[in-house]
Amino acid sequence: MKIIITENYDEMSIKAARMVSSQITLKNNSVLGLATGSTPEGMYRELINMYNNKEISFNDIITFNLDEYYNLEKDNTESYDYFMRKNLFNHIDINKKNIHIPNGMTEDIDYECINYDNMIKSKGGIDMQILGIGGNGHIGFNEPNINFEATTHLVNLTEDTIEANSRFFDSIEEVPTKAISMGVKTIMNSRKIILLANGKGKAEAIYNAVKGKITPTHPASVLQLHNDVTLILDKEAAALL
Ligand code: F6R
């Protein structure tokens, strides 16, 4: 694992955006795996700036998001579909047909999940996957005690995650309790992985991911087995390393 420790959130975001832009420069039709949540928002802002400054184009880029809430309409302002449009897709030249986000409103979960993994394979696999990390060590929505062999599947969110995500909803009762998420195996099949984390609330999860035993109890610890992972952390998230 390569670990980059930055002074603060802004520096973390800029470094991450530069890694993504280098990937796009090297391969203009890269397949990017994308995350939602508070952590990558700054990185998306930087990428939009780079696009506006004509440094990069997303015209041939293909994206696959990590996850989507189950049973939440795409136009709900808390859906990950909405998040991606608001924080990135509406501001860049990406071709809409190249955007993939699990369909949380599907009536056929098994088909949706198998088809999502098949679509990733049919595009040649993910070149660069961006990850955040949950305070409980989840990546995507692969919660503690996940099967490392899992591909895209329906997950039950843990109480920790529901509580953490309730900051975006009017009340905790409105937070969906299930999501469709790429599995650990799907994530591990990516050629490069960039994990971002900031703030002291992530320090223990980062410690377990980097120095802890490789165990499904701490899903992010599986990343120790991947041969091209870069962690970009602010000082607080790196504090226990
Ligand atoms: C988001 C995702 C999650 C988040 C994690 C951290 O697509 O898959 O694993 O990356 O919950 O969320 P934030 O960044 O809001 O702390």
Side-chain angles (χ1 to χ4, degrees):
M1 275 183 178
K2 188 170 164 206
I3 301 178
I4 299 173
I5 301 175
T6 61
E7 276 304 304
N8 53 40
Y9 179 78
D10 287 345
E11 196 189 331
M12 176 197 80
S13 303
I14 291 168
K15 284 224 152 60
R18 284 197 189 134
M19 290 193 73
V20 176
S21 73
S22 305
Q23 174 66 39
I24 295 176
T25 305
L26 281 173
K27 186 180 173 197
N28 65 352
N29 60 349
S30 291
V31 180
L32 302 180
L34 299 178
T36 57
S38 306
T39 313
E41 282 181 7
M43 178 192 78
Y44 291 140
R45 274 198 296 275
E46 283 304 318
L47 287 170
I48 294 168
N49 287 338
M50 289 174 177
Y51 166 72
N52 286 334
N53 294 334
K54 303 200 177 354
E55 290 166 41
I56 45 172
S57 163
F58 292 82
N59 202 30
D60 295 317
I61 292 295
I62 298 166
T63 64
F64 284 91
N65 264 78
L66 276 169
D67 40 23
E68 177 59 285
Y69 288 121
Y70 178 59
N71 219 358
L72 197 66
E73 297 280 354
K74 278 185 201 298
D75 285 332
N76 185 302
T77 54
E78 298 314 329
S79 79
Y80 288 168
D81 198 292
Y82 189 95
F83 173 101
M84 288 309 302
R85 281 180 274 145
K86 177 172 150 223
N87 288 289
L88 184 66
F89 297 148
N90 284 351
H91 311 282
I92 58 173
D93 61 345
I94 192 160
N95 199 325
K96 300 258 175 313
K97 75 171 181 8
N98 289 339
I99 295 172
H100 305 87
I101 301 178
N103 175 12
M105 295 303 290
T106 181
E107 282 176 10
D108 188 343
I109 301 237
D110 289 345
Y111 173 78
E112 178 63 26
C113 294
I114 292 170
N115 189 44
Y116 203 67
D117 281 303
N118 284 342
M119 280 193 300
I120 294 173
K121 279 189 207 127
S122 76
K123 302 293 178 193
I126 294 173
D127 291 304
M128 178 179 273
Q129 174 67 56
I130 306 298
L131 295 177
I133 185 169
N136 64 2
H138 72 210
I139 48 174
F141 272 138
N142 294 287
E143 300 284 30
N145 304 318
I146 188 74
N147 173 0
F148 280 169
E149 286 299 308
T151 51
T152 300
H153 62 304
L154 183 70
V155 292
N156 289 315
L157 302 178
T158 60
E159 281 183 22
D160 294 351
T161 300
I162 293 172
E163 198 180 319
N165 291 358
S166 67
R167 68 192 194 278
F168 300 114
F169 291 82
D170 290 338
S171 72
I172 196 159
E173 287 73 34
E174 286 177 37
V175 186
T177 56
K178 291 177 195 279
I180 297 179
S181 175
M182 279 186 199
V184 167
K185 191 165 182 185
T186 318
I187 294 170
M188 291 293 279
N189 279 338
S190 312
R191 284 185 268 281
K192 264 188 211 320
I193 297 179
I194 313 284
L195 184 144
L196 310 183
N198 67 289
K200 56 179 186 299
K202 300 291 173 70
E204 196 179 330
I206 289 296
Y207 176 84
N208 286 324
V210 177
K211 302 241 161 130
K213 202 170 130 207
I214 300 171
T215 161
T217 314
H218 299 293
S221 64
V222 74
L223 298 174
Q224 294 174 36
L225 298 173
H226 194 282
N227 63 11
D228 194 348
V229 178
T230 303
L231 269 55
I232 311 182
L233 313 171
D234 76 348
K235 277 196 302 207
E236 292 185 341
L240 300 177
L241 295 181

